[in-house]
């Protein structure tokens, strides 16, 4: 296993750039997976890391050791703990991280159930929605240009491996992606809206969710074939966007199971 | 209106302590509400702030001005913008904050639907669950000693005013609070569990949710009359705890509406 101990090593500088900068990740087409869980899920899905970095103390952990055994030996790099902490994008470094390619956005139009997020900028909310989408078995997620970067370390962390279950289209225009969409296009809204629980959610549904502060942009809202409202009898004005998405996606799952679809 | 410009003023030091320290908030029995939305909801619910601090530029905003008009004149303090930023517990100071008493935990046993959170430490998740609970119209929330402080500025921010719709019992033992509970006590779990959508959620339900990493502690899990699982056909291992709570609470709401309860 290669050993690097200098923070001036170009490989280290490249990892630090990926950890800290959305622009550098985009330019390189690469990101970092921090921790055993993300690396485990990536390997399960056939991802071959470009590089796997382990800290000296991380290497002593049996769970990390068995993950390293599943990676190409040439890709492994050991670094001192102190240097690992300077690379790791998270506050409590886990001892292992992997540099991987960001998959290309699929080019084919979306046909099945999908979630379209319009300018959702909070990485925690974005990651939570990806996690929920993957949990219900949905495949396609579309992110407009104003969203947080889906493959950023913070979003990856919140999504707990969901990225590898999904086809994520980043930085695309919702109108183009949904042109000719064969199902309902539903937008969560608060006025002139139909109660979520009064709608038949059979057939493909494209769910549109906007940022909490701003809601949907006019252009994206105009794509909706129907506006829906989640009932809130308790008198709150709104829900967290990750919660709103979960309530909608799980209601669709429930209806599908109840009708044997 | 009083004007303070020195950061050495004891009132300013007290505000800074409340902004930054859970222990100081607990000791004083006070917290800070940052921003117009929280102050607006608090005033709607009859809360009388002990002190309302406005920045010089905040005072020029009509929305803030009309809120100040609804507060006791003696409670108002104006400070320079720079000093306000040093007090405000949030990254982008809104221009107004209020010092308020933290309500006492109700002593009466819980009788109706309730949420019990066991060692949920992430302030964003905790606040999101409070927001969801208030949205469905639930009243009682019980937090075990290991939870984040419910009245911290970060939880208040994520909950968007939900605190004022709820009776929050903090730092209490779940076993004592649920002694003699007249309904089902349901724990989200992954083994030996009944599908959420196969359960009749009529009658009072106490929902138990644990932290994401640790799950429920043994003592709290033992209180459950039944274990439930949220179906995840997509192959993810788990959901964000705020999402799990939302799926459960909204399924209960849906069933209640469907059966006319």
């Amino acid at each position: 296993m290669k050993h690097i101990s200098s923070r001036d090593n170009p490989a280290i500088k490249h990892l630090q750039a990926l950890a800290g900068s959305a622009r550098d990740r985009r330019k390189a087409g690469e990101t970092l997976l921090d921790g055993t869980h993300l690396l485990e899920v990536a390997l399960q899905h056939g991802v071959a890391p470009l590089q796997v970095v382990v800290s000296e103390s991380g290497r002593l952990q049996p769970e990390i050791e068995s993950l390293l055994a599943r990676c190409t030996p040439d890709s492994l790099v050991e670094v001192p703990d102190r240097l690992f902490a300077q690379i790791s994008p998270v506050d409590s470094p886990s001892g292992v991280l992997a540099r991987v390619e960001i998959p290309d956005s699929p080019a084919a139009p979306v046909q099945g159930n999908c979630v379209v997020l319009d300018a959702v900028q909070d990485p925690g909310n974005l990651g939570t929605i990806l996690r929920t989408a993957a949990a219900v078995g949905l495949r396609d997620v579309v992110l407009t240009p104003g969203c947080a970067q889906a493959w950023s370390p913070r979003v990856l962390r919140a999504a707990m491996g969901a990225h590898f279950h999904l086809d994520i289209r980043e930085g695309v225009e919702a109108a183009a992606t949904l042109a000719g969409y064969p199902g309902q296009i539903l937008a969560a809204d608060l006025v002139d809206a139909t109660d979520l629980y009064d709608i038949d959610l059979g057939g493909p549904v494209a769910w549109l969710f906007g940022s909490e502060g701003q809601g949907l942009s006019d252009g994206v809202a105009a794509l909706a074939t129907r506006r829906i409202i989640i009932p809130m009898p308790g008198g709150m004005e709104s829900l967290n966007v990750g919660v709103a998405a979960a309530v909608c996606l799980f209601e669709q799952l429930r209806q599908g199971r109840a009708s044997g679809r």
Side-chain angles (χ1 to χ4, degrees), chain A:
Chain A
M1 188 182 300
K2 214 181 306 181
H3 189 98
I4 301 179
S5 58
S6 163
R7 57 186 295 179
D8 296 326
N9 183 293
I12 301 298
K13 289 195 167 301
H14 181 52
L15 292 165
Q16 285 176 322
L18 295 177
S21 156
R23 183 199 271 187
D24 284 327
R25 287 190 293 273
R26 202 173 295 118
K27 208 168 129 193
E30 299 173 1
T31 191
L32 299 184
L33 310 178
D34 194 286
T36 54
H37 181 74
L38 284 178
L39 178 54
E40 168 74 43
V41 179
L43 292 174
Q44 276 171 12
H45 283 78
V47 173
L50 303 167
Q51 196 161 53
V52 178
V53 184
V54 62
S55 69
E56 284 170 354
S57 64
R59 197 174 170 184
L60 304 175
Q61 296 175 34
E63 189 186 4
I64 291 180
E65 195 187 7
S66 71
L67 284 171
L68 297 184
R70 294 161 62 189
C71 300
T72 319
D74 281 358
S75 69
L76 305 183
V77 179
E78 186 187 52
V79 302
D81 286 11
R82 199 169 42 82
L83 190 54
F84 189 91
Q86 289 170 2
I87 304 168
S88 172
V90 301
D91 290 340
S92 31
S94 60
V96 66
L97 59 81
R99 177 165 66 86
V100 298
E101 281 183 7
I102 297 175
D104 291 334
S105 288
V110 175
Q111 298 289 334
N113 292 319
C114 70
V115 168
V116 179
L117 301 182
D118 187 24
V120 173
Q121 289 178 344
D122 182 83
N125 283 340
L126 180 49
T128 295
I129 296 172
L130 297 179
R131 185 176 176 186
T132 303
V136 296
L138 187 145
R139 182 99 213 155
D140 289 299
V141 176
V142 177
L143 308 178
T144 68
C147 285
Q149 192 179 47
W151 291 86
S152 78
R154 288 180 64 196
V155 174
L156 280 158
R157 189 183 187 194
M160 295 287 283
H163 290 71
F164 301 103
H165 295 257
L166 300 169
D167 288 333
I168 301 173
R169 288 165 172 81
E170 272 201 276
V172 298
E173 296 303 332
T177 312
L178 292 179
Y181 184 73
Q184 303 186 73
I185 302 176
L186 302 181
D189 207 334
L190 298 172
V191 287
D192 281 341
T194 309
D195 192 305
L196 170 69
Y197 298 115
D198 291 337
I199 297 180
D200 181 347
L201 299 170
V205 174
W207 297 96
L208 312 181
F209 299 104
S211 73
E212 278 189 56
Q214 310 297 320
L216 291 170
S217 60
D218 291 346
V220 173
L223 301 173
T225 56
R226 199 168 198 176
R227 286 184 292 207
I228 55 144
I229 186 166
I230 298 172
M232 290 178 287
M236 293 292 287
E237 285 173 27
S238 63
L239 295 167
N240 170 281
V241 63
V243 162
V247 171
C248 291
L249 295 179
F250 272 94
E251 172 59 11
Q252 188 181 20
L253 175 68
R254 186 198 67 79
Q255 286 192 14
R257 286 158 43 112
S259 66
R261 286 194 290 255

